[in-house]
Amino acid sequence: MTARRHIPALAAAITAAYFLLAIGAVRAFALGLPGWLEQSLSVLAAPGIIALLAWNPVFAPLGMTAGEAVVVPKLLPCLLIIALYAGLAYLVARLLTRRR
């Protein structure tokens, strides 16, 4: 069962990739995309962006947020949050795939 051994790492990589792509999708809105594409990207990216915005109360007092209309964590806190979520996905996948 070598494939089963790789599932936790794959879950962590997919989680990190999703968050990075969600941030990229939101940044792509400035490119003037067609409305249907912008709406589709926002629907796909919304859960990841909301999961990042949930950390604002932690990082705002430390001065680690930026933005005017929507305040978001800066790059380093975003990367730390993504690493945290990827690690959590790794642990959950590891627990679900452990041998009995």
Side-chain angles (χ1 to χ4, degrees), residues 19 23 52 59 72-83:
F19 278 101
I23 292 170
L52 291 175
F59 291 113
V72 296
K74 291 183 180 176
L75 179 64
L76 183 61
C78 277
L79 294 177
L80 291 172
I81 295 166
I82 292 169

Side-chain angles (χ1 to χ4, degrees), residues 1-94:
M1 288 245 161
T2 58
R4 188 176 201 176
R5 180 179 55 163
H6 300 295
I7 290 175
L10 185 61
I14 289 171
T15 301
Y18 168 73
F19 278 101
L20 292 173
L21 289 173
I23 292 170
V26 171
R27 293 203 178 255
F29 295 161
L31 299 175
L33 300 173
W36 64 270
L37 182 58
E38 191 172 305
Q39 186 175 12
S40 300
L41 288 176
S42 65
V43 167
L44 292 173
I49 299 303
I50 291 170
L52 291 175
L53 292 177
W55 288 86
N56 276 350
V58 174
F59 291 113
L62 302 174
M64 301 180 89
T65 58
E68 294 175 14
V70 177
V71 178
V72 296
K74 291 183 180 176
L75 179 64
L76 183 61
C78 277
L79 294 177
L80 291 172
I81 295 166
I82 292 169
L84 177 74
Y85 285 136
L88 184 63
Y90 178 86
L91 289 175
V92 168
R94 179 111 177 174

